[in-house]
Amino acid sequence: MKAGFLQFSPVFGDIKHNIETVSRILTSVNNGLIVLPELFNTGYQFIARHEAEALSEEIPSGYTTQRLIELSKNRSVYISAGIAERDGNNLYNSAVLTGPEGFIGAYRKTHLFFEEKLWFSPGDTGFKVWQTPIGNIGMMICFDWFFPESARTLALQGADIIAHPSNLVLPYCPDAMVTRCIENRLFAITANRTGREKRGEKDAMEFIGCSEIVAPNGKILSRAAKDAETIIQAEINIDDARNKSLNPLNNIFSDRRESLYRS
Ligand code: ACM
């Protein structure tokens, strides 16, 4: 099975343009999984809550999720993608999972980064894993990586692959995800964006690219450049994520000493 990422530079506020870009690049893919960046349809640097409100959409009835469903069907591909969600008066930094069968599920970002806290509510879905014909897929969003509990919770729920839509600005994540994969023995696909945003009086934000596919043994199967628009899928064997034994005497799940851990 093939799984990978689409890395590009969204144009702030131009949802239709960003979806057309994704749709154009996706014509080279015809199966497996593709992860898109966090807030891929809206861009990242909001300067007022009303902007985030105007650009957010209901899930799954909104325009972006409906277009992703259509793309999943047309390309026979599972898509994990970050979008701004509106639910009543609340806004969430969310990710949707769609497949050839339609809408599968949504996750709301648990750990909000910096000014996201001004626009979005903290996610209330918890970490979820969906069983699909291509494997068990869990999602976390960007800064969630900083909290090892995120990946661990997904692993304990049976995730084979963590789809990780991101808008990374700090340099640590691509290397840190190697450890997340080794300690949980699963695949992770971090889809980051490229480019720069400078809106209003705010400081410019530079996104670090370097999207990657990491295997359960920590091997980086593919890592993109900092700036390039890139779509890459690697051939992965889901069974590699289902063996949690390091040797006949060590199993990373059954060796856990929960009574000695603090929550
Ligand atoms: C981030 O969570 N977008 C850094």
Side-chain angles (χ1 to χ4, degrees), residues 120-133:
F120 297 115
S121 299
D124 56 0
T125 51
F127 295 97
K128 303 202 272 190
V129 174
W130 291 273
Q131 294 182 351
T132 78

Side-chain angles (χ1 to χ4, degrees), residues 54-106:
L55 290 168
S56 63
E57 302 173 11
E58 290 184 356
I59 295 175
S61 61
Y63 175 77
T64 300
T65 309
Q66 289 301 312
R67 287 296 308 273
L68 291 170
I69 291 169
E70 195 182 295
L71 282 171
S72 275
K73 289 185 175 164
N74 291 345
R75 307 302 325 151
S76 302
V77 73
Y78 288 81
I79 301 174
S80 162
I83 75 171
E85 179 186 2
R86 184 172 56 242
D87 182 10
N89 290 327
N90 290 326
L91 308 182
Y92 298 97
N93 183 342
S94 296
V96 293
L97 182 65
T98 61
E101 64 269 51
F103 176 72
I104 297 173

Side-chain angles (χ1 to χ4, degrees), residues 38-39 44 93 109 111-114 116 141-145 165-170 192 205 207:
E38 175 183 15
L39 296 171
Y44 186 76
N93 183 342
K109 186 174 184 176
H111 305 98
L112 297 174
F113 181 72
F114 191 45
E116 290 170 27
I141 301 176
C142 204
F143 191 50
D144 282 331
W145 78 266
S166 296
N167 273 190
L168 295 162
V169 288
L170 301 175
N192 193 23
M205 301 189 94
F207 299 96

